[in-house]
Amino acid sequence: MVRAGLARFRRTGRHLLADGDQAHMVARILIIGGYGNFGTYIARTLANDESIRLLIGGRSADKAHAFSASLEAANAAEGHAIDIDGDLTEALGRIAPDIVIHTTGPFQTQDHRVARACIAQGCHYLDLADAREFVATIDRLDAEAKAKDVLVVSGASSVPCLTAAVIDAYLPSFGRLKAVDYGISAAQHTNRGLATTSAVLSYVGKPIEMLRDGAMKTVYGWEDTHAVRYPGLGTRLFGNCDIPDLTLFPQRYPTLRSMRFCAGHELKALHIGTRMLGVLVRLRVIGSLSDHAGSLLKLAFAFDRFGSGRSGFHMFMSGLGHDGNPLERRFWIVARSGHGPYIPCMPAILLARQLARERVRKPGARPCVDLIDLDSYLAALSDLDIEINRDDIEA
């Protein structure tokens, strides 16, 4: 067994750990932004996996070391200094990861330099990007990734991974899927960070191309305000958002005539306030709200006493059944106890575990679709305070 393990070590670069008469391979997984909002969720979930050694990376070596020391990890975690704007070749060569999970946003202002550096290093790459162009163009690295026999996945998060998985699960019910209308409502008590806030604010009041009535049309971020009532959660307000799906899905589901993706705050006052600021952006009275993310984030925290730790996701699909009659399907997720942020983290967690065990052997670069099915995704959420509601309605 040890001899076989050594042969595998030479082939993959993974570390061989001996445990008495047993030996097992351990993948070194670097989480860039590992002590940040999403990074901490991922790290704590992966920490007890005996096939993984966590490498907590960030600009602050002290914070990386402190957080890695706090983890009750199956294999002692390490802290490392790494700056995505710095010398990535040096950093990755020093840290020597097998897999990199990139969580440091906002991705709207980044290019693919981290993914390219991972390909050059010969390690797999996953990110939690929600930026439309960033995710939709990751396949430009496909030839490079295949040449180095690594997997490069962008958007290993709610969009487009969960959203595509939901549509794929329901698609067989439709003779023709014509429209999808879906959104995410954040909890007020979620652990909000500056990068996530900047990403959301970057498109408030800005033009967005969205599929409407069979053609791409211009809408504006945070406009088209509408209410959605969630089972057991109440009514939440939503406005237009820009995500990778808006580019990927019209090609992936060619029968679609209309798409709408929206997001919203839990508190209606904050949602309406953001909507009003969006009007000022559209009128060019002020520039991008992302320039004021720090101040607006502090203002949002002042409303925490009026909110909760409950967030939601909904998707409404409509079209024609196989009998030619109108058909609608509805899908809901309600997260309580502040567990909502685990939902966007889950694709990266699942793929990291699979890569650590060499269960994903399809090298190349692609958005995160066709890698995790809906049942697997939901099963991974089963131990959390998360409720799934499928309201299947034939109209």
Side-chain angles (χ1 to χ4, degrees):
M1 178 178 180
V2 173
R3 183 175 300 171
L6 285 171
R8 184 175 173 219
F9 168 73
R10 295 189 187 101
R11 185 171 68 254
T12 67
R14 284 165 173 73
H15 285 66
L16 179 70
L17 293 189
D19 181 13
D21 294 330
Q22 299 283 325
H24 61 281
M25 304 304 297
V26 174
R28 292 172 59 81
I29 298 185
L30 169 64
I31 306 176
I32 301 178
Y35 52 80
N37 287 329
F38 291 125
T40 56
Y41 287 105
I42 295 171
R44 288 176 178 140
T45 303
L46 294 176
N48 64 357
D49 193 317
E50 293 184 353
S51 298
I52 292 171
R53 181 185 297 281
L54 287 175
L55 316 172
I56 304 302
R59 290 182 176 177
S60 170
D62 290 341
K63 290 181 180 179
H65 287 302
F67 180 66
S68 62
S70 73
L71 292 170
E72 297 180 3
N75 299 299
E78 303 172 7
H80 292 276
I82 184 170
D83 183 347
I84 62 171
D85 296 319
D87 188 343
L88 290 172
T89 300
E90 182 279 329
L92 293 178
R94 166 173 46 86
I95 300 170
D98 300 305
I99 303 161
V100 170
I101 304 175
H102 179 17
T103 73
T104 304
F107 289 91
Q108 283 78 2
T109 58
Q110 295 183 38
D111 57 22
H112 295 137
R113 67 188 310 268
V114 179
R116 290 185 184 277
C118 290
I119 293 172
Q121 177 68 20
C123 59
H124 302 296
Y125 166 91
L126 311 169
D127 69 45
L128 274 67
D130 59 354
R132 182 172 180 170
E133 184 176 2
F134 186 98
V135 176
T137 59
I138 194 68
D139 58 359
R140 294 175 183 173
L141 306 183
D142 189 55
E144 298 173 46
K146 287 178 178 175
K148 296 289 283 191
D149 195 32
V150 296
L151 179 66
V152 171
V153 177
S154 188
S157 191
S158 302
V159 294
C161 183
L162 173 61
T163 49
V166 174
I167 294 176
D168 290 347
Y170 282 93
L171 196 58
S173 300
F174 289 89
R176 183 180 181 88
L177 178 65
K178 299 175 69 175
V180 290
D181 188 347
Y182 55 118
I184 295 173
S185 177
Q188 179 65 21
H189 290 177
T190 192
N191 191 15
R192 303 182 297 281
L194 184 60
T196 301
T197 302
S198 297
V200 172
L201 293 177
S202 68
Y203 48 71
V204 174
K206 299 291 187 176
I208 299 171
E209 293 297 304
M210 198 175 291
L211 182 66
R212 298 288 173 86
D213 298 321
M216 298 301 289
K217 297 182 180 179
T218 300
V219 299
Y220 288 85
W222 224 253
E223 294 188 5
D224 196 14
T225 303
H226 61 284
V228 176
R229 176 172 290 279
Y230 277 72
L233 194 60
T235 300
R236 298 282 178 96
L237 295 180
F238 290 86
N240 296 325
C241 269
D242 198 15
I243 57 168
D245 303 19
L246 301 177
T247 293
L248 298 173
F249 286 7
Q251 301 171 34
R252 181 176 176 83
Y253 308 107
T255 64
L256 279 178
R257 298 282 298 168
S258 293
M259 287 184 66
R260 180 171 66 174
F261 176 81
C262 295
H265 299 295
E266 174 185 355
L267 300 179
K268 294 179 177 62
L270 284 181
H271 189 95
I272 293 170
T274 304
R275 172 72 175 85
M276 293 173 66
L277 289 173
V279 173
L280 297 180
V281 172
R282 184 173 177 180
L283 294 175
R284 299 183 181 180
V285 176
I286 57 177
S288 174
L289 292 184
S290 61
D291 296 336
H292 309 280
S295 299
L296 292 172
L297 181 59
K298 290 179 182 178
L299 179 61
F301 282 134
F303 288 80
D304 278 2
R305 58 179 172 170
F306 302 109
S308 73
R310 301 180 300 168
S311 57
F313 166 83
H314 70 276
M315 179 175 282
F316 303 155
M317 296 154 280
S318 59
L320 300 177
H322 293 284
D323 58 3
N325 291 322
L327 181 65
E328 181 178 4
R329 290 287 184 261
R330 297 191 174 198
F331 178 89
W332 316 77
I333 299 178
V334 173
R336 302 180 177 87
S337 305
H339 286 180
Y342 281 102
I343 299 173
C345 293
M346 201 51 67
I349 291 168
L350 293 174
L351 289 173
R353 285 175 171 159
Q354 292 175 24
L355 287 168
R357 293 166 174 78
E358 295 191 319
R359 292 177 181 168
V360 179
R361 297 307 301 158
K362 292 182 178 179
R366 60 182 69 92
C368 193
V369 294
D370 298 323
L371 293 172
I372 299 170
D373 62 51
L374 183 60
D375 287 342
S376 298
Y377 203 124
L378 299 183
L381 303 174
S382 61
D383 292 334
L384 301 170
D385 191 2
I386 291 176
E387 177 185 351
I388 312 300
N389 188 303
R390 305 175 190 237
D391 181 20
D392 296 346
I393 301 174
E394 285 199 42

